């Protein structure tokens, strides 16, 4: 770390650097392509900062370990790819329910099950939203450049701390494995948020008592506050509230409200040449880069194209998409999957703009020319 | 269009193509202050499998991060040569090591045959310096990255104890091209 500097870093290394700058001092994980470099980096660097790296026996345990570390007051992270992300879902749900801040990085690979380890996809978008069971909110961020991967990771920790919830970073094999030049800022120049700590007398402390903000003050294990938590829906004391419909409703509502009432703070969307656009390409992650290149080419040919790039995927930026859909003719959604965010965009647009989908699921990144061709089809009304 | 170059360094696992890519990316990115993207690709084998690293060097920010039509390909194996010469931009540059690349493709490309591995073995005493010899040759052929930047990137990334060897390897690659391809050296690109 040290003062600001210029470096050539991979997407994975940038995520790990960002985490370190955000104050992450505990990493538990199980190595998996294409995410392993994040583990490697943390194993090398964390001890130098008084942090801990632990390679767990699997991803279930990795997720459990970072929850434990966070409850003891540390900022913690794990990283994985699809197969490991599946294993983490149960404990991810626990972290959401018990309101434990932490960051989970899923570097998306191709295909269901083991899929193909070394090639990119964006097929875990819905898993990031609904992979763990039950009504729950999700904060999921998707960077598209190495520099953005750094800053998105810092932001992921800030959001996790501020809203006491796990934050998921969706990268993909393209972004994580490529290297770019990055200006690593002086860590002192970054805005770093830390969870709100309990200040009441330990005897009076109720771990899930809303202080009016929807986010309860946190007492680290070891701080002298004795408290209980569980994945069972609980009341403000942390003990199960299974027989009380009112208490159940209050807790579930609070989980959602703390996110939904702060959408302006959480949602981040980049817009490119959207002011006069007739066609919008909606893309995120590494595919957004191809979308930008395609939009430039289309503009050169006189087609009015803009790009909307959600960096916050969940909660879904409905307001931005609604606004855009009212002033454009068509929206072309490009994803490296069979159509995941596309469905959400379509639902949000409610027929106000024509919808088109370009999905590529062959382990290759989508080339700008392919998007350009689709844009031309949309422009001439051919594309369905 | 402002300067934009795509370079592919290809060979077999163990020939140092990954590290050469890092040297080149850091030289252009950090020391020349250009925009760069470095992509690496290799099979599951640590040694002997086909592998390549690709560097894009650009004045402007690089939007699409993958090499599409390389301006220069370094081929350290016949397989890499056969596979990649077709991707080259018309009139593009190919550097081959004749020790491994016996059949030279007949195409509209500029071929530089540089005995990288032989120089590394006989003049430097270490075959593993062939990748640094190759970067010396690269620096003699095109001026996309400042010579001193490449030199500095190599020396900064490697242990001080190997500085003399790396300097010599770089210079031998450079000199070979200057001596044997006088009319073409640093005139292309």
């Amino acid at each position: 770390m040290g003062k600001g500097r210029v470096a050539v870093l991979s997407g994975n290394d940038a995520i790990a650097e960002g985490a370190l700058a955000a104050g992450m001092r505990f990493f538990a994980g199980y190595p998996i392509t294409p995410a392993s470099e994040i583990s490697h980096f943390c194993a090398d660097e964390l001890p130098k900062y008084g942090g801990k790296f632990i390679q767990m026996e699997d991803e279930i345990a990795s997720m459990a370990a970072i929850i434990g570390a966070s409850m003891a007051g540390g900022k913690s992270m794990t990283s994985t790819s699809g197969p490991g992300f599946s294993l983490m879902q149960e404990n991810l749900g626990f972290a959401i329910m018990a309101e434990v801040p932490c960051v989970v990085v899923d570097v998306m690979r191709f295909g269901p099950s083991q899929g193909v380890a070394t090639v990119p996809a964006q097929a875990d978008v819905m898993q990031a939203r609904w992979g763990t069971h039950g009504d729950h909110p999700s904060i999921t961020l998707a960077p598209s450049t190495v520099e953005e991967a750094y800053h998105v990771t810092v932001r992921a920790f800030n959001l996790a701390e501020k809203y006491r919830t796990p934050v998921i970073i969706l990268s993909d094999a393209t972004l994580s494995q490529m290297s770019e030049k990055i200006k690593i800022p002086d860590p002192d120049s970054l805005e770093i948020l830390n969870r709100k700590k309990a200040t009441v007398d330990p005897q009076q402390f109720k771990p899930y008592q809303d202080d009016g903000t929807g986010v309860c003050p946190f007492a680290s294990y070891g701080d002298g506050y004795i408290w209980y938590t569980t994945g069972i829906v609980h009341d403000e004391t942390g003990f199960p509230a299974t027989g009380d419909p009112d208490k159940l409703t209050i807790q579930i509502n609070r989980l959602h409200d703390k996110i939904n009432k702060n959408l302006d703070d959480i949602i981040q969307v980049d817009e490119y040449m959207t002011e006069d656009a007739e066609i919008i390409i909606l893309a995120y992650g590494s595919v957004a880069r191809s979308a930008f290149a395609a939009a430039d080419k289309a503009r050169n040919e006189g087609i009015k194209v803009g790009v909307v790039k959600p960096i916050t995927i969940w909660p879904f930026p409905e307001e931005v998409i609604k606004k855009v859909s009212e002033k454009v003719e068509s929206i072309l959604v490009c994803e490296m999957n069979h159509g995941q965010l596309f469905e959400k965009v379509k639902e949000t647009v409610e027929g106000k703009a024509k919808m088109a989908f370009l999905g590529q699921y062959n382990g290759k990144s989508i080339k700008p020319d392919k998007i350009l061709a689709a844009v031309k089809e949309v422009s001439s009304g051919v594309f369905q | 269009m402002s300067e934009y170059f795509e370079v592919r360094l290809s060979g077999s696992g163990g020939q140092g193509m990954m590290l050469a890519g890092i040297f080149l990316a850091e030289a252009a990115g950090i020391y020349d202050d250009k925009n760069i993207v470095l992509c690496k690709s290799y099979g599951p084998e640590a040694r002997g499998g086909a592998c390549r690293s690709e560097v894009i060097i650009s004045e402007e920010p690089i939007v699409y991060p993958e090499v599409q039509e390389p301006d220069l390909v370094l081929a350290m194996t016949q397989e890499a040569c056969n596979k990649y010469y077709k991707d080259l931009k018309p009139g593009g540059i190919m550097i081959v090591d004749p020790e491994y690349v016996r059949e030279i493709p007949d195409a509209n490309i500029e071929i530089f045959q540089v005995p990288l591995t032989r120089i590394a073995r006989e003049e430097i005493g270490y075959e593993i310096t062939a990748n640094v010899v190759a970067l010396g040759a690269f620096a003699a052929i095109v001026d996309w990255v400042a010579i001193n930047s490449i030199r500095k990137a190599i020396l900064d990334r490697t242990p001080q104890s190997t500085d003399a060897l790396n300097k010599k390897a770089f210079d031998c690659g450079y000199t070979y091209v200057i001596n044997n391809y006088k009319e073409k050296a640093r005139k292309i690109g």
Side-chain angles (χ1 to χ4, degrees), chain A residues 178-179 181 289-290 365 367, chain B residues 29 33-34 38 62-63 66:
Chain A
M178 63 183 263
S179 299
K181 181 170 75 169
R289 306 174 69 118
S290 303
S365 67
K367 288 191 190 301
Chain B
D33 199 25
K34 301 251 173 78
L38 166 67
I62 298 163
V63 185
E66 289 180 16

Side-chain angles (χ1 to χ4, degrees), chain B residues 115-180:
Chain B
L116 304 166
T117 311
R118 186 180 61 72
I119 292 172
R121 186 173 53 240
E122 293 174 8
E123 296 185 39
I124 317 303
Y126 294 93
E127 224 171 78
I128 54 162
T129 60
N131 59 346
V132 177
V133 179
L135 289 180
F138 173 90
I141 295 167
V142 293
D143 60 0
W144 307 338
V145 186
I147 296 172
N148 278 337
S149 298
I150 305 179
R151 224 190 278 257
K152 197 163 165 18
I154 295 168
L155 298 183
D156 278 7
R157 263 242 162 230
T158 46
Q160 222 173 353
S161 58
T162 61
D163 280 3
L165 283 180
N166 280 324
K167 274 183 196 162
K168 194 176 170 195
F170 185 86
D171 290 345
C172 284
Y174 184 87
T175 311
Y176 184 91
V177 170
I178 298 292
N179 290 342
N180 291 276

Side-chain angles (χ1 to χ4, degrees), chain A residues 86-155:
Chain A
S86 290
L87 291 178
M88 288 177 184
Q89 294 303 325
E90 183 185 6
N91 281 332
L92 182 63
F94 180 91
I96 294 167
M97 190 62 236
E99 300 180 72
V100 182
C102 55
V103 173
V104 177
V105 183
D106 173 21
V107 183
M108 294 181 284
R109 55 161 72 180
F110 178 80
S113 188
Q114 281 146 303
V116 182
T118 51
V119 297
Q122 296 177 308
D124 303 348
V125 170
M126 281 300 164
Q127 190 182 22
R129 179 66 192 87
W130 290 119
T132 192
H133 62 272
D135 246 346
H136 62 272
S138 167
I139 300 182
T140 300
L141 312 175
S144 63
T145 70
V146 169
E147 185 131 11
E148 203 168 77
Y150 179 95
H151 291 285
V152 159
T153 305
V154 172
R155 198 155 172 270

Side-chain angles (χ1 to χ4, degrees), chain A residues 126 282 314 316-318 321-322 325 330-335 338-357 384:
Chain A
M126 281 300 164
L282 188 141
W314 308 115
F316 186 69
E318 285 180 22
I321 304 303
K322 274 192 177 135
S325 69
S330 311
I331 298 177
L332 170 68
V333 179
C334 301
E335 299 179 87
H338 215 276
Q340 295 200 7
L341 206 60
F342 172 67
E343 297 296 337
K344 184 68 189 172
V345 178
K346 198 165 80 177
E347 177 191 313
T348 306
V349 167
E350 291 179 317
K352 291 196 183 87
K354 281 182 222 152
M355 294 297 303
F357 176 63
Q384 290 304 316

